Amino acid sequence: MMTVHEVSKISGVSIRALHYYDKIGLLPATEVSNAGYRLYDDTSLERLQYILLFKELEFSLKEIKNILDNPEFDQSKALEQQIQLLELRKEHLQNLIDLAWGIKMIGVKHMSFEAFDTQKIDEYAKRAKESWGKTEAYKEYEQKAAGRSKEEQETISVKMMEIFAKFGKIKDQSPDGEAAVGLAKELQDFITEHYYTCTDEILLGLGAMYAGGGDLTDNIDKVGGEGTGEFAGKAIQAFIRS
């Protein structure tokens, strides 16, 4: 038997979350000691592994409980399906990571004015080509950028940052509101027109990056104020859901 503290330590799940899982019947403690401590056996730990796997696949806790409590739940089949889904998700995430790095580096190159010296910016651009140069989006970007002068590139960058400035002006409003969702659509159209075809999937990846911290988030927050990058990310999520 393991205590809730021990389970938390080996699984990475907080004690508070484990208590909540017990409360809602998702992961009941195997037994409670005379001293009132929750104890878990190997069967409980196995169930916790399924819970974490399904959480990674973005099932809600209610859905996970219904799946695991179903008498027809086939563990072997479930694992096989999860492995297949996780492999697909791994491939998808790797594509997004490559894309995000490329867009981040390109974005830093064209949206950062004082934050970086030329040497570092050039290094970002070099890394972008190495990690992202084979994607269709990057090829499209290179085609659109090929005939532009430095001044035209800077003008486009400024106009894109103006969109983030608009996000900053309404960041105290709901990201689900009409104004925020409208700006997310404006951003998607702008990227498609000036950089590459910005699909909903790409835009969602960008939104996560805008809100994810780091250099690009800092640049956006400099234009729109602290929290603008996070707000833009939430607005993009609301737009994709709409």
Side-chain angles (χ1 to χ4, degrees), residues 2 8 31 39 42 57 72 98 111 143 158 174 184 189 201 214:
M2 299 183 70
S8 175
E31 63 180 68
L39 300 175
D42 290 343
L57 295 173
E72 297 181 2
D98 292 342
M111 290 192 289
Q143 290 172 357
V158 169
S174 170
D189 291 343
E201 183 180 55

Side-chain angles (χ1 to χ4, degrees), residues 4-116:
V4 68
H5 292 272
E6 291 171 330
V7 173
S8 175
K9 185 175 181 179
I10 67 169
S11 68
V13 180
S14 70
I15 293 173
R16 183 177 180 180
L18 290 170
H19 285 172
Y20 181 67
Y21 292 173
D22 188 2
K23 180 180 178 180
I24 64 174
L26 177 61
L27 184 67
T30 306
E31 63 180 68
V32 179
S33 71
N34 293 332
Y37 293 109
R38 293 175 172 87
L39 300 175
Y40 298 85
D41 61 8
D42 290 343
T43 301
S44 295
L45 294 179
E46 183 180 357
R47 183 178 174 97
L48 179 57
Q49 288 180 327
Y50 284 112
I51 291 170
L52 296 179
L53 279 171
F54 280 117
K55 277 194 68 181
E56 284 296 318
L57 295 173
E58 300 182 357
F59 285 89
S60 69
L61 295 181
K62 182 178 179 180
E63 290 171 330
I64 296 172
K65 185 177 184 302
N66 290 337
I67 292 170
L68 297 181
D69 289 345
N70 188 331
E72 297 181 2
F73 174 61
D74 185 331
Q75 294 181 347
S76 177
K77 182 179 180 181
L79 274 177
E80 183 179 342
Q81 291 174 334
Q82 285 174 326
I83 290 169
Q84 291 175 349
L85 285 169
L86 288 169
E87 288 288 350
L88 290 172
R89 192 175 178 192
K90 175 184 176 183
E91 180 181 352
H92 170 68
L93 286 175
Q94 187 59 57
N95 290 337
L96 280 180
I97 289 169
D98 292 342
L99 180 63
W101 269 112
I103 296 170
K104 180 175 182 179
M105 294 165 202
I106 292 168
V108 168
K109 181 177 180 181
H110 295 296
M111 290 192 289
S112 172
F113 303 100
E114 299 178 354
F116 306 100

